[in-house]
């Protein structure tokens, strides 16, 4: 028995040639460039970027100019899960513990009890008003009851809302994906639906496992990154994202909630004051944008527009029940113990943004072969598109109407820390942004703690060693050396001066509100 290696040009053609690879890279790069341009267009017009990306996918699909026939729901689900992991990691890295701690209880209740209330009301509306049988109604109720992390993170961080409202909505969107995924999988499984108490116990167990693993992985990961100096600063962003993905994988393999694990692990990493943090945040945001673009384009490819006609009216009815009845009631009943003012409840009700996550979850019954699953997917797609178009652009108007919009705050400092191993200290790079009250402050008026000093100022492309009387200006970049024991105190003082000016501390400004960005 012998084997013969075919000569060039003989035998079966390879699945992917260099020419095909070049074409694929060209298409991907063009799509990414168009999508990046769409970010600018959406920010100027107020049109949610979600719709732009979905539109790109639809145009590339079989009813569009691309004529690409794509109907692989299983691949879409897998890629959607992967994208959601990255999006939750990016969101967790940007969530500040001191902002979320006061609203942790209310956000958790809203993500659990609120979801249950929303599922029940929406499913009842889908059954009695649209005529779906109960399994299908429960599936669509669970699918659309999760607020979308990508939509919430991208929209709310551009709107100056009260800290309690923004923190509650962000935490809810990070927490509620986990129970909703469990519900959709349970309702989409063949056989009778589990009793409510069995389902409730299963959800509680998976959430507990996911939370424990996420916190443990995040804590050990941050401890390791702070105590092990990596040879290149570019490795820190990669290591942080790798730890976040590890949390998801460990949680899922332990039969817990991987989505909750990745969000909590990322939150632990994001609040650990890791070295080279601005670079890490920028890297995570870039990956988050790529994940969103790829996920939305893929979902746009999966939908078949000419099949949507019969499902538009049912989708609008279900969306109306969800938006005007289910979401407001879930918010009101969940927040009763916390005495949240009515204007804030109204804004939270309207800000229950849906995005790609419900569409991804709608692929679960398709993969499991649930009867009518294609119709469920079509209705969810229409619902998400229509109500995103309505809710996203009107949210700033509603915040102003309810008098909940806050005036723009002074931009926070961008402080990057690099460890100085032999000196047991840190080199802080501080950029003074527009709106910072550090403008006009003399170096000695910073009153940095002993062991910290401004060693260099970079201004207009030129660097110089400052004097105690050097006046700082907007756009200056300061290099501050701080020994390890006073590193945190020096950073707190810099942030306090940036927000309170030279009299920070004397007038009660201590930088407590300075943690919104790092």
């Amino acid at each position: 028995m012998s084997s013969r290696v075919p000569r060039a040009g003989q035998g079966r053609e390879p699945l992917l040639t260099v020419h095909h690879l070049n074409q694929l890279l060209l298409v991907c790069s063009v799509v990414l460039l168009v999508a990046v341009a769409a970010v600018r267009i959406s920010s100027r017009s107020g049109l949610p970027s979600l719709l732009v990306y979905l539109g790109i996918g639809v145009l590339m699909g079989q009813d569009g100019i691309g004529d690409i026939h794509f109907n692989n729901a299983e691949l879409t689900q897998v890629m959607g899960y992967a994208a959601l992991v990255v999006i939750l990691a990016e969101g967790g890295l940007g969530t500040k513990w001191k902002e979320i701690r006061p609203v942790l209880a209310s956000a958790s209740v809203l993500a659990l009890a609120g979801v249950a209330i929303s599922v029940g009301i929406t499913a009842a509306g889908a059954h009695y008003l649209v005529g779906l049988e109960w399994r299908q109604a429960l599936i669509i109720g669970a699918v659309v009851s999760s607020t979308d992390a990508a939509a919430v993170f991208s929209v709310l961080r551009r709107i100056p809302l009260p800290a309690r409202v923004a923190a509650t909505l962000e935490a809810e969107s990070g927490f509620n994906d986990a129970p909703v995924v469990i519900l959709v999988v349970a309702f989409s499984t063949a056989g009778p639906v589990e009793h409510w108490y069995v389902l409730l116990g299963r959800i509680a167990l998976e959430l507990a496992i996911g939370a424990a693993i996420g916190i443990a992985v995040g804590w050990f990961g941050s401890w390791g990154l702070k105590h092990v100096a990596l040879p290149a600063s570019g490795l820190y962003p990669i290591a942080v994202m790798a730890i976040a993905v590890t949390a998801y994988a460990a949680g899922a393999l332990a039969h817990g909630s991987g989505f909750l694990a990745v969000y909590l692990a990322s939150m632990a990493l994001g609040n650990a004051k890791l070295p080279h943090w601005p670079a890490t945040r920028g890297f995570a945001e870039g990956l988050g944008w790529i994940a969103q673009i790829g996920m939305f384009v893929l979902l746009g490819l999966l939908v078949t527009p000419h099949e949507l006609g019969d499902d538009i009216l049912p989708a609008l009815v279900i969306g109306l029940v969800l938006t005007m009845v289910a979401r407001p009631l879930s918010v009101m009943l969940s927040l009763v113990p916390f005495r949240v003012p009515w204007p804030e409840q109204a804004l939270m009700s309207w800000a229950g943004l849906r995005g790609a996550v419900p569409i991804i979850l709608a692929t679960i019954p398709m993969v499991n072969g649930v009867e009518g699953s294609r119709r469920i997917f079509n209705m969810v797609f229409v619902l998400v598109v229509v109500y995103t178009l309505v809710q996203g652009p009107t949210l700033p108007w509603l915040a102003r109407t309810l008098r909940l919009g806050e005036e723009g705050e002074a931009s926070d400092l961008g402080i990057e820390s690099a460890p100085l191993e032999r000196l047991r200290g840190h080199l802080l790079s501080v950029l003074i942004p527009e709106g910072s009250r550090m403008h006009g402050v003399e170096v000695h008026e910073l009153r940095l703690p002993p062991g910290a000093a401004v060693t260099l100022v970079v201004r207009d492309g030129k660097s110089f060693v400052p004097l105690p009387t050097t006046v700082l200006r907007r756009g200056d970049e300061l290099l501050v050396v701080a020994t390890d024991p006073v590193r945190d105190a020096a950073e707190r003082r810099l942030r306090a001066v940036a927000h309170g000016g030279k009299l920070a501390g004397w007038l009660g400004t201590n930088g407590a509100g300075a943690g919104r960005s790092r």
Side-chain angles (χ1 to χ4, degrees):
M1 182 175 180
S2 63
S3 60
R4 182 172 59 90
V5 178
R7 297 177 183 177
Q10 294 182 352
R12 189 175 61 182
E13 287 291 326
L15 295 178
L16 181 65
T17 64
V18 173
H19 178 67
H20 293 152
L21 178 61
N22 292 338
Q23 289 180 324
L24 179 61
L25 291 176
L26 177 61
V27 171
C28 291
S29 60
V30 170
V31 170
L32 283 175
L33 288 174
V34 172
V36 170
V39 175
R40 183 62 175 172
I41 295 172
S42 65
S43 63
R44 284 176 172 265
S45 64
L47 183 69
S49 57
L50 157 67
L51 301 184
V52 180
Y53 306 146
L54 283 175
I56 293 174
V58 172
L59 285 176
M60 294 172 59
Q62 57 181 321
D63 285 355
I65 58 177
D67 195 29
I68 298 175
H69 292 257
F70 178 80
N71 58 1
N72 194 330
E74 187 172 3
L75 175 61
T76 304
Q77 178 185 332
V78 172
M79 297 300 293
Y81 274 26
L84 184 56
V85 169
V86 175
I87 292 168
L88 285 173
E90 191 273 326
L93 291 173
T95 300
K96 302 295 179 256
W97 172 246
K98 62 184 176 184
E99 294 178 3
I100 200 177
R101 181 172 53 190
V103 301
L104 187 61
S106 59
S108 300
V109 172
L110 193 57
L112 297 174
V115 162
I117 295 170
S118 181
V119 170
I121 296 174
T122 306
H127 177 72
Y128 291 110
L129 299 179
V130 178
L132 296 181
E133 60 100 9
W134 271 114
R135 181 184 290 273
Q136 296 173 347
L138 287 171
I139 290 174
I140 200 169
V143 163
V144 299
S145 292
S146 171
T147 56
D148 184 79
V152 170
F153 294 149
S154 62
V155 172
L156 292 186
R157 291 176 183 177
R158 293 188 285 108
I159 302 175
L161 296 178
R164 179 168 63 177
V165 175
T168 301
L169 291 171
E170 286 194 19
E172 179 202 7
S173 66
F175 293 156
N176 65 10
D177 287 335
V180 166
V181 170
I182 298 171
L183 287 174
V184 175
V185 171
F187 295 151
S188 301
T189 302
V193 178
E194 295 176 326
H195 293 294
W196 67 268
Y197 51 85
V198 177
L199 193 56
L200 186 63
R202 178 182 167 191
I203 292 175
L205 178 61
E206 292 195 19
L207 292 180
I209 294 174
I213 290 177
I215 294 172
V217 171
W219 188 87
F220 282 110
S222 59
W223 182 87
L225 288 178
K226 286 192 292 187
H227 288 80
V228 177
L230 298 178
S233 60
L235 293 176
Y236 282 91
I238 298 174
V240 167
M241 293 304 296
I243 293 171
V245 174
T246 298
Y248 170 80
L253 289 175
H255 301 288
S257 173
F259 293 121
L260 183 60
V262 68
Y263 184 71
L264 292 179
S266 301
M267 193 191 307
L269 291 165
N271 288 271
K273 298 185 181 298
L274 298 177
H276 305 290
W277 185 248
T280 301
R281 285 289 295 126
F283 180 77
E285 288 175 0
L287 284 183
W289 275 111
I290 292 176
Q292 289 187 56
I293 292 170
M295 178 172 60
F296 295 153
V297 171
L298 194 62
L299 291 170
L301 280 173
L302 186 62
V303 73
T304 306
H306 72 263
E307 297 179 353
L308 300 178
D310 295 336
D311 299 317
I312 293 178
L313 184 57
L316 294 178
V317 172
I318 295 173
L320 194 63
V321 172
L322 171 68
T323 306
M324 305 307 295
V325 182
R327 174 67 181 180
L329 279 178
S330 67
V331 171
M332 181 182 68
L333 296 177
S334 299
L335 299 182
V336 165
F338 305 100
R339 299 180 181 180
V340 177
W342 285 105
E344 294 187 8
Q345 291 190 33
L347 186 61
M348 291 182 193
S349 299
W350 191 247
L353 303 176
R354 271 72 189 176
V357 171
I359 308 177
I360 292 172
L361 296 180
T363 62
I364 296 177
M366 295 175 65
V367 173
N368 291 348
V370 175
E371 182 180 357
S373 58
R374 186 71 197 191
R375 189 186 181 200
I376 293 175
F377 178 86
N378 290 340
M379 285 191 289
V380 171
F381 185 89
V382 172
L383 185 155
V384 167
V385 170
V386 172
Y387 287 93
T388 299
L389 185 60
V390 172
Q391 287 179 287
T394 58
L395 192 56
W397 170 84
L398 181 61
R400 291 192 299 269
T401 302
L402 296 173
R403 297 182 179 180
L404 292 176
E406 295 182 342
E407 296 295 329
E409 299 178 353
S411 299
D412 193 23
L413 293 178
I415 300 182
E416 180 167 354
S417 172
L420 303 176
E421 298 296 328
R422 295 181 61 186
L423 301 180
R424 291 185 55 80
H426 298 266
L427 178 63
L428 308 180
S429 174
V430 181
L431 179 63
I432 303 177
E434 293 292 332
S436 174
R437 293 184 181 178
M438 194 179 286
H439 176 78
V441 174
E442 295 183 5
V443 170
H444 73 92
E445 292 173 328
L446 293 176
R447 301 202 313 277
L448 295 176
V454 179
T455 59
L456 198 68
V457 174
V458 180
R459 177 179 297 166
D460 298 328
K462 298 180 180 179
S463 59
F464 60 92
V465 176
L467 299 173
T469 56
T470 298
V471 178
L472 303 177
R473 301 177 184 174
R474 299 184 185 93
D476 284 355
E477 184 175 358
L478 317 181
L479 297 184
V480 180
V481 173
T483 57
D484 195 56
V486 302
R487 188 263 192 203
D488 291 341
E491 184 173 339
R492 284 196 299 270
R493 179 60 192 167
L494 289 168
R495 293 187 186 278
V497 175
H499 284 255
K502 63 180 70 177
L503 298 181
W506 294 342
L507 297 181
T509 303
N510 58 9
R516 205 172 277 277
S517 63
R518 296 176 69 175

